[in-house]
Amino acid sequence: MRRVLTLGLVVGGFVVQAVSYLLLAAPLGIPTSEAFSNPRVPFAAAFFVLGVVMVFTAALVYELLPDERSR
Amino acid sequence: MARYGMVIDLDRCTGCRACMEACKVENNTPEATFWMYVFRFEEGQFPNTHQWYLPRPCMHCDNAPCVKVCPVGARFKREDGLVATDTDRCIGCRYCEVACPYGVNYFNWKSPKKAYYLDWNDPDLQPVTNGDSPPYRNPDLDGRYGPEGRRTAGGGHAKGVIEKCTFCVHRVERGLKPACVVNCPLFALHFGDLDDPESEVSQLLRRKPHFRLLEEVGTRPRVYYTGGNPPVAATRQIEPVKGRV
Amino acid sequence: MAITRRTFLKASGAAGSTAALASLLAARPKTLTAAPPAAAAGPAEEWVPTTCWIGKQDCGMLARRISGRVVKFEGHPEHPLNRGTLCPKGVAQIMAVYDPHRVKTPLIRTSPKGQPGTWRPATWDEALGLVAEKIREVRVRDRRLLLWQKGRSKAEAFYDDAFVKASGATKLHHGAFCSDAGYRACEYTIGPHGVLHPDFRHCRFLLAWGWNITNAGGNKLCWITWPQQLVQARERGLKVVHIDPRLRGAGPFADEWLPVRPGTDLALAQAFAHVLIAEGYVDREYLVRHTNAPFLVGEDGFFVRAGGKEQVWDPVTRRPRPFDAPGPPPALEGEYAVGGTRARPAFQVFKDHLAGATPEWAAEICGVPAESIRRVAVQLGREAMIGSTVVLDGMTLPYRPVGAMLYHVAQQELGFQMVRAVLHVFMLLGAVEAVGGPRIDLTWKPHANFEKLDRITIKDPPYNVWLQDSQFFPINSNNSSIVARVLQDPAKYGVDYVPEVMVVHMANPVLSFGSPADILEGFKRITFIAVIDPWLSETADLLADVVLPAATVEKYEGPSKASDQYVDGVALRIPPMAPLFQSRGEIDIYLDLCERAGFLYGPGGYLDELNKALKLRDEHRLPLDRKPAVREIFDRWARSEGIAEGVAYFEKKGVKVKGPVKAAKIYGFAQDPPFDGLRHRLYGESLLRYREQMKARGVPELYWRDYTPLPAWRPPTMWSSPPSYDLTLISFKMIEFKQARASQIPLLAELAPEQRLDINPATARARGIGDGDWVWVESHNAVTGQTRRIRVRARLTEGIRPDVVGMPHHYGKRNHPWTRGQGPASSELFFTGEGYVANTADQSFLVRVRVIRA
Amino acid sequence: MAVKPLTLPWYGVGRWSGGWYAAAALALALVALGAVAYSLQLSQGEVVTGLRNVGTMRGATWGLYVAFLVYFVGVSFAGISTAALIRLLDLRPLRAVARMAEVLTVIALLLGALSVIADVGRPLRALVYLPTYARPMSPFFGTFTLVIAGYLYASLVYLYLDGRRDAALCAQRTSGRLARFYRLWAAGFRDTAEARRRHERTTFWLSLAILPLLVTAHSTLGVVFGLQGGRPGWHSALQAPGFVVLAGISGVGHLIVLAALVRWLLDERERLDLTVFRWLGNILLVLTLVYLYFTVVELLTATYAADEHETRVTMAVLTGPYAPVFWVSAGALVAAVALLGRQFLTGRYGVGLTALAGVLVNAAAVGKRYLIVVPSQTHGTLLPYGDGAYLPTWVELAVIAGLLGLGAFLFMVFMKVFPIIEVPEPSEGGR
């Protein structure tokens, strides 16, 4: 359970980063297009940061979450 | 759709700097701010001296470094070729300024009230100006322009944001040419649709050899110069303006 | 050959004008796609036509008004002088209009004169009453005691003509920097009132002789018009030779630069003439028919006359005959025995006079290589295409596509004779007033001075305050610099009175004339001075008893000529808004002043004089018993000019374009007979007469030595300053400013923030001076030994002769926050009077200086 | 309520001496000064700084603030890198400095973020718009997301996990409010072998994850300058690696100084013995040598066949107005190398000399940051505007002083509420 959650956070974190970067923020499309001056979705950058945060939160989860067996 | 550009005929430029003044009055720019600037240059040694003049608006580059580096998308490229500054968006980090090889960006160092040359709060003036500063305030600058309706004409000149030549977006969207172009006493400045082969600018570029400033940097400017050559290392500036605030 | 040349010319001319037209249209929107009206929202906007106020030539403007307030001035697209554009000053004047440092109410002095004043605000009623009382009083006693001076020439009819005539005031010369010597030389030699400018539509080779192309005006018109015509001419292939110690004036427009030593232009001109004669570039037909070149000159230097008629030599009969008697072309050269004496045609005298004036000789004097001088002279001769003609408006006219722009360079000690020498160059080519040749006025209009200056009878003292017909300066330009010296010591000049009341109108003599120290000293003697000015000028601050605040652009004024010499028009200044503060338009002020002083109504009154000055016809004449509103006066004038809508026309359109000017009006050669039959004075006999009379009265040589029938080179007096004063200071204008008044417009002041000394890097290095260093510039008066010094920053430039330093005008104002720290006026270093002006009693802007690190 | 005084191994936690108060007062005074200066800047606008526009104003629009932003972020290198090295290479002797290094990282990043705020013209907008609209195209994107946010968070996590055991220990020995704080931190940590193993595993992977982040983070900052083709002196591929190395130098240098201070303040010769300084000293030596090598290569390229604009900037730095800063910085680096090199060769190490080297390299780091940021603006214009000039005003100096004061204060406070040195495991016989 703990390992699953940890792994999930790591993977999820990277997914969030990738998604927020590539789909929400990155300048895909012609330079003059809206996408170039604005992220497609506001707070794309915040999502990216969230992704980074998730990855490292995995460490917390891994260490802090009590083990089922120790229950 | 039209994609605008400027062609400057150096064979006609007398370096009178009327374009600078037309820009300053039209755009109400603060002290020591020159969205349009005219260099006065000197080369060679007496008596083989060469003196010439070079107007420097924003180049509205197609590959604009300032647009690339802007962290919040306040500086952006419009479909019609203009490089615009959303003064409601700008956070004043001045990254665009250090990225621009042409030195066209001007930061609002002071609050506008303090940046207009004279104290316009004179009581005898109030009845006439009803508090406007400067008295020649141009209301068009406060408008929103472009399909996104962003505040890109530089109205208000709020403290702490960056600004530069807008190609007079508020005029262009009304079908007028930029203030500097319309005023040039020698008709050295030309403005129009570079994509339209019939436009005056395109014809001019076909007729005369031309260059763009710092092409080697790869910025792909939309401002072309005909007549004369680009400045070189040995080119000295003479008669600079009052720079500091 | 002539045929092909002619046809080509017509073609090119046409091509040129269309190109020009295209480039003018270029300023109007064409290729722009307008946005949906939605974008074009905003407060109420109106465009009001008016006329520029800041500069010399009154360009047409459109004032953009947002909810009643002017926010921008743009050029008037239809106005011939500026075609939709404005110079930096024109654009920036918007800030002058709202300047909170304008004089807001009439002021009355409460402190002693001669130093900056303290003031108390007064009502118009009190101030006008005070001034009117003074005027009324002196007019009764002695009208000579009333002086009047105006700066920029606006609405002459109302001021220079009507007010001066009605008040009987003595009018002092207007312009601080005007080229009097040149005007007199041209009036005397050719006839029209002006100096020299090119016929840009046809000129192909131009001597820009001290012409500040990129910064200043030129003859008659001003900056925008001349450069516009120059650039169009260059696009048709015009070549420019820039004759000037400083390159900056022509900048990139100089195809060749002759950096002549200041004050030696006369010698250069003589060398040109020498080469032209030697190379045979002489238009004999013109000389014979239209000049006094064939007149026989006796050994005494005077014309040989019979029955009061000048004689010429008939080569067939081998006898002298009256110049106007029919017969074969008279001789231009040779020496003939006439009635006991030996006589030579004036042209032969001229040739002999120039025998020694070789390029090598001039090169020594002018500091320009002899080969350059010869090359330019030969080019000039070749380009003149002597003998060619062109057809304009169906008239076949001489075609001489060589011209000169020569104006303020006349302000040197030898100015009068120097301009005559240049005229001689073009007379040799038969180019004066020919198509493409040098022009003097915009149209062919001989000035009364052509005769007057030839018939002066020098009187005995007492003289008037500007020494009219005096033994000192018989040919006189009534310049304040000289008047000021007379006022300081009337007895010395045989003047037996000192004026008591003076009205100074939009002039600032204390700052803008050469040698302000003299002006201040002199004008201090005038007991009461009223100044009409929108700002507290230095003159007002130091000398005025009363200051009357004038409006700037926000007033009716005019009518102002709107001709660029090819397209004619007339314009009015229409107030784009009400006068700010308590200021008033000058015409209003004069109407009230005249009324209170008692010379507004009735015959000979101001209104009567206005009728004459404005040439108001019959029912449009102003009634002499009622004070009209200013707008009504202009309405009557407009209708009298045949404009049915009256002044409303100008309030709607701003300018009335009358259309192209006929060649017949322009060229002296196009007259019938050519030049109205008058003969140009190659040989100035009357000058010799004055010389003899002056000698006879025992005045010192310094006064009469330059009254020679032909220009004679001599080293300028300034050269006798000690060798330690090893540099010559010249002054120049900058495009940013016009009158010093412009230097207080912040928008302009920031473009050229402070006074500077242009100096060649080599010269600077030798003195251990770096770019931007502070230096002392000290001038020396070669006659009195007096020295003057000011402290400025050095600016290094390769565009100036190493033995010359240059300094712009315009600076030196003290009464505005934006002029503090700008530095002193260059005029402070110049001297006026004997040794610095010769024939014409005007002023010169050349002096010997030394430059040392501060 | 008073905390009952603790004895070793608690490293002066809770011992509030007069000297501490004096130092804290001084630090806070600096913070106050900075606050005053900054409020002035907010009300008057940045006209009160020495910054001006590049071009007709002939100024530098980035100055001291940006220089110190770069410097602070550089310093943050220390913590994570040491911690990571300790884990990955199992450098037991360095465990003593691990915590202070982590704290240093967190504080430095905080100051870095604050100096960005100090620089921008619209700080509030920046706080809202950066998360809202930040664009990956801008090199700043990395600075904000990776450096300021990710890096900071990672360090906090690391600091937190590494401190749990000590927190638990403290919780047992204290009562009152602090005890609650310790318990919160400890989060039910029970010192079992299982818990230890788990912690070891976590931190190992954490370190592994952090190292690449470390490199990218410092590179992005270098890229902020390195990508600008229009700025001679900036446009160079060497910027990124150069930044990483210089970051290491300032970080490690700073860590050495801190360690020496702590050793002196707590008179802790046992845990902070010479081995610690030998290790750190040698690391610093290597980094500094690498950086000197970079500098030489850089100068060579800039002077050998560079275009006139490169040369203009380089000359301004070598012989022009910036020469003093450059030569002092370069001298400091060389001196540091000399000190450390001598120790390395002779094998005789001294805390004082190593600390001196740390001070020297930090001085040099500040100087170098200044030289990276400013000259390319004042002397690197491609159009002939003429040479510019920039001198910081008292406002900028005060703001920076305030930030330094804040950093010092935070560190001092931390020292008083938590063991600045990891409490030794019983096996190591911490009595």
PDB file of all heavy atoms in Angstrom, chain C residues 618-632:
ATOM      1  N   ASP C 618     -12.763  99.171 -50.668  1.00  0.00           N
ATOM      2  CA  ASP C 618     -14.061  99.847 -50.467  1.00  0.00           C
ATOM      3  C   ASP C 618     -14.897  99.346 -49.289  1.00  0.00           C
ATOM      4  O   ASP C 618     -14.557  99.600 -48.142  1.00  0.00           O
ATOM      5  CB  ASP C 618     -14.878  99.803 -51.779  1.00  0.00           C
ATOM      6  CG  ASP C 618     -14.506  98.571 -52.634  1.00  0.00           C
ATOM      7  OD1 ASP C 618     -13.776  97.751 -52.089  1.00  0.00           O
ATOM      8  OD2 ASP C 618     -14.906  98.451 -53.783  1.00  0.00           O
ATOM      9  N   GLU C 619     -15.984  98.617 -49.539  1.00  0.00           N
ATOM     10  CA  GLU C 619     -16.930  98.385 -48.433  1.00  0.00           C
ATOM     11  C   GLU C 619     -16.317  97.509 -47.343  1.00  0.00           C
ATOM     12  O   GLU C 619     -16.873  97.373 -46.260  1.00  0.00           O
ATOM     13  CB  GLU C 619     -18.235  97.748 -48.943  1.00  0.00           C
ATOM     14  CG  GLU C 619     -18.153  96.231 -49.124  1.00  0.00           C
ATOM     15  CD  GLU C 619     -17.666  95.847 -50.505  1.00  0.00           C
ATOM     16  OE1 GLU C 619     -17.057  96.714 -51.180  1.00  0.00           O
ATOM     17  OE2 GLU C 619     -17.870  94.675 -50.904  1.00  0.00           O
ATOM     18  N   HIS C 620     -15.142  96.934 -47.624  1.00  0.00           N
ATOM     19  CA  HIS C 620     -14.526  96.082 -46.603  1.00  0.00           C
ATOM     20  C   HIS C 620     -13.641  96.883 -45.648  1.00  0.00           C
ATOM     21  O   HIS C 620     -13.150  96.356 -44.666  1.00  0.00           O
ATOM     22  CB  HIS C 620     -13.700  94.990 -47.282  1.00  0.00           C
ATOM     23  CG  HIS C 620     -14.510  94.149 -48.236  1.00  0.00           C
ATOM     24  ND1 HIS C 620     -15.588  93.411 -47.832  1.00  0.00           N
ATOM     25  CD2 HIS C 620     -14.394  93.968 -49.574  1.00  0.00           C
ATOM     26  CE1 HIS C 620     -16.110  92.784 -48.878  1.00  0.00           C
ATOM     27  NE2 HIS C 620     -15.411  93.116 -49.947  1.00  0.00           N
ATOM     28  N   ARG C 621     -13.448  98.166 -45.971  1.00  0.00           N
ATOM     29  CA  ARG C 621     -12.577  98.969 -45.110  1.00  0.00           C
ATOM     30  C   ARG C 621     -13.163  99.089 -43.707  1.00  0.00           C
ATOM     31  O   ARG C 621     -14.376  99.087 -43.523  1.00  0.00           O
ATOM     32  CB  ARG C 621     -12.389 100.366 -45.713  1.00  0.00           C
ATOM     33  CG  ARG C 621     -11.775 100.355 -47.104  1.00  0.00           C
ATOM     34  CD  ARG C 621     -11.819 101.751 -47.715  1.00  0.00           C
ATOM     35  NE  ARG C 621     -11.064 102.707 -46.922  1.00  0.00           N
ATOM     36  CZ  ARG C 621      -9.746 102.856 -47.019  1.00  0.00           C
ATOM     37  NH1 ARG C 621      -9.057 102.095 -47.861  1.00  0.00           N
ATOM     38  NH2 ARG C 621      -9.113 103.745 -46.275  1.00  0.00           N
ATOM     39  N   LEU C 622     -12.254  99.146 -42.731  1.00  0.00           N
ATOM     40  CA  LEU C 622     -12.712  99.280 -41.341  1.00  0.00           C
ATOM     41  C   LEU C 622     -13.216 100.701 -41.126  1.00  0.00           C
ATOM     42  O   LEU C 622     -12.558 101.662 -41.548  1.00  0.00           O
ATOM     43  CB  LEU C 622     -11.548  99.014 -40.386  1.00  0.00           C
ATOM     44  CG  LEU C 622     -10.936  97.626 -40.385  1.00  0.00           C
ATOM     45  CD1 LEU C 622      -9.500  97.691 -39.906  1.00  0.00           C
ATOM     46  CD2 LEU C 622     -11.753  96.698 -39.518  1.00  0.00           C
ATOM     47  N   PRO C 623     -14.388 100.856 -40.492  1.00  0.00           N
ATOM     48  CA  PRO C 623     -14.812 102.209 -40.106  1.00  0.00           C
ATOM     49  C   PRO C 623     -13.814 102.794 -39.112  1.00  0.00           C
ATOM     50  O   PRO C 623     -13.292 102.086 -38.256  1.00  0.00           O
ATOM     51  CB  PRO C 623     -16.182 101.989 -39.467  1.00  0.00           C
ATOM     52  CG  PRO C 623     -16.236 100.542 -39.101  1.00  0.00           C
ATOM     53  CD  PRO C 623     -15.349  99.824 -40.069  1.00  0.00           C
ATOM     54  N   LEU C 624     -13.527 104.072 -39.244  1.00  0.00           N
ATOM     55  CA  LEU C 624     -12.452 104.681 -38.439  1.00  0.00           C
ATOM     56  C   LEU C 624     -12.939 105.175 -37.083  1.00  0.00           C
ATOM     57  O   LEU C 624     -12.183 105.804 -36.345  1.00  0.00           O
ATOM     58  CB  LEU C 624     -11.827 105.841 -39.223  1.00  0.00           C
ATOM     59  CG  LEU C 624     -11.245 105.464 -40.597  1.00  0.00           C
ATOM     60  CD1 LEU C 624     -10.493 106.640 -41.191  1.00  0.00           C
ATOM     61  CD2 LEU C 624     -10.351 104.251 -40.481  1.00  0.00           C
ATOM     62  N   ASP C 625     -14.194 104.892 -36.751  1.00  0.00           N
ATOM     63  CA  ASP C 625     -14.720 105.474 -35.508  1.00  0.00           C
ATOM     64  C   ASP C 625     -15.161 104.393 -34.517  1.00  0.00           C
ATOM     65  O   ASP C 625     -15.799 104.675 -33.530  1.00  0.00           O
ATOM     66  CB  ASP C 625     -15.930 106.363 -35.847  1.00  0.00           C
ATOM     67  CG  ASP C 625     -16.962 105.587 -36.664  1.00  0.00           C
ATOM     68  OD1 ASP C 625     -16.695 104.390 -36.954  1.00  0.00           O
ATOM     69  OD2 ASP C 625     -18.002 106.166 -37.017  1.00  0.00           O
ATOM     70  N   ARG C 626     -14.795 103.151 -34.816  1.00  0.00           N
ATOM     71  CA  ARG C 626     -15.300 102.070 -33.959  1.00  0.00           C
ATOM     72  C   ARG C 626     -14.216 101.003 -33.840  1.00  0.00           C
ATOM     73  O   ARG C 626     -13.585 100.644 -34.831  1.00  0.00           O
ATOM     74  CB  ARG C 626     -16.558 101.486 -34.596  1.00  0.00           C
ATOM     75  CG  ARG C 626     -17.037 100.167 -34.025  1.00  0.00           C
ATOM     76  CD  ARG C 626     -18.366  99.779 -34.647  1.00  0.00           C
ATOM     77  NE  ARG C 626     -18.223  99.272 -36.028  1.00  0.00           N
ATOM     78  CZ  ARG C 626     -17.750  98.061 -36.315  1.00  0.00           C
ATOM     79  NH1 ARG C 626     -17.338  97.257 -35.340  1.00  0.00           N
ATOM     80  NH2 ARG C 626     -17.658  97.649 -37.564  1.00  0.00           N
ATOM     81  N   LYS C 627     -13.998 100.550 -32.612  1.00  0.00           N
ATOM     82  CA  LYS C 627     -12.962  99.534 -32.424  1.00  0.00           C
ATOM     83  C   LYS C 627     -13.522  98.163 -32.805  1.00  0.00           C
ATOM     84  O   LYS C 627     -14.474  97.689 -32.181  1.00  0.00           O
ATOM     85  CB  LYS C 627     -12.473  99.513 -30.972  1.00  0.00           C
ATOM     86  CG  LYS C 627     -11.305  98.551 -30.774  1.00  0.00           C
ATOM     87  CD  LYS C 627     -10.618  98.739 -29.433  1.00  0.00           C
ATOM     88  CE  LYS C 627     -11.480  98.226 -28.291  1.00  0.00           C
ATOM     89  NZ  LYS C 627     -10.794  98.359 -26.985  1.00  0.00           N
ATOM     90  N   PRO C 628     -12.950  97.514 -33.850  1.00  0.00           N
ATOM     91  CA  PRO C 628     -13.477  96.220 -34.299  1.00  0.00           C
ATOM     92  C   PRO C 628     -12.900  95.071 -33.477  1.00  0.00           C
ATOM     93  O   PRO C 628     -11.875  95.222 -32.816  1.00  0.00           O
ATOM     94  CB  PRO C 628     -12.962  96.131 -35.730  1.00  0.00           C
ATOM     95  CG  PRO C 628     -11.659  96.882 -35.688  1.00  0.00           C
ATOM     96  CD  PRO C 628     -11.805  97.955 -34.641  1.00  0.00           C
ATOM     97  N   ALA C 629     -13.614  93.936 -33.525  1.00  0.00           N
ATOM     98  CA  ALA C 629     -13.037  92.710 -32.957  1.00  0.00           C
ATOM     99  C   ALA C 629     -12.007  92.173 -33.952  1.00  0.00           C
ATOM    100  O   ALA C 629     -12.122  92.408 -35.152  1.00  0.00           O
ATOM    101  CB  ALA C 629     -14.129  91.685 -32.716  1.00  0.00           C
ATOM    102  N   VAL C 630     -11.006  91.481 -33.436  1.00  0.00           N
ATOM    103  CA  VAL C 630      -9.935  90.999 -34.312  1.00  0.00           C
ATOM    104  C   VAL C 630     -10.502  90.097 -35.409  1.00  0.00           C
ATOM    105  O   VAL C 630     -10.165  90.211 -36.584  1.00  0.00           O
ATOM    106  CB  VAL C 630      -8.870  90.243 -33.502  1.00  0.00           C
ATOM    107  CG1 VAL C 630      -7.784  89.702 -34.421  1.00  0.00           C
ATOM    108  CG2 VAL C 630      -8.265  91.141 -32.444  1.00  0.00           C
ATOM    109  N   ARG C 631     -11.431  89.224 -35.004  1.00  0.00           N
ATOM    110  CA  ARG C 631     -12.002  88.309 -35.996  1.00  0.00           C
ATOM    111  C   ARG C 631     -12.660  89.087 -37.120  1.00  0.00           C
ATOM    112  O   ARG C 631     -12.528  88.746 -38.291  1.00  0.00           O
ATOM    113  CB  ARG C 631     -13.022  87.388 -35.321  1.00  0.00           C
ATOM    114  CG  ARG C 631     -13.523  86.282 -36.226  1.00  0.00           C
ATOM    115  CD  ARG C 631     -14.483  85.352 -35.518  1.00  0.00           C
ATOM    116  NE  ARG C 631     -14.932  84.279 -36.403  1.00  0.00           N
ATOM    117  CZ  ARG C 631     -15.878  84.431 -37.308  1.00  0.00           C
ATOM    118  NH1 ARG C 631     -16.451  85.611 -37.470  1.00  0.00           N
ATOM    119  NH2 ARG C 631     -16.248  83.409 -38.078  1.00  0.00           N
ATOM    120  N   GLU C 632     -13.322  90.213 -36.755  1.00  0.00           N
ATOM    121  CA  GLU C 632     -14.007  91.019 -37.779  1.00  0.00           C
ATOM    122  C   GLU C 632     -12.987  91.570 -38.777  1.00  0.00           C
ATOM    123  O   GLU C 632     -13.195  91.546 -39.991  1.00  0.00           O
ATOM    124  CB  GLU C 632     -14.772  92.163 -37.125  1.00  0.00           C
ATOM    125  CG  GLU C 632     -15.464  93.063 -38.147  1.00  0.00           C
ATOM    126  CD  GLU C 632     -15.900  94.398 -37.569  1.00  0.00           C
ATOM    127  OE1 GLU C 632     -15.928  94.529 -36.332  1.00  0.00           O
ATOM    128  OE2 GLU C 632     -16.194  95.312 -38.371  1.00  0.00           O
TER     129      GLU C 632
END
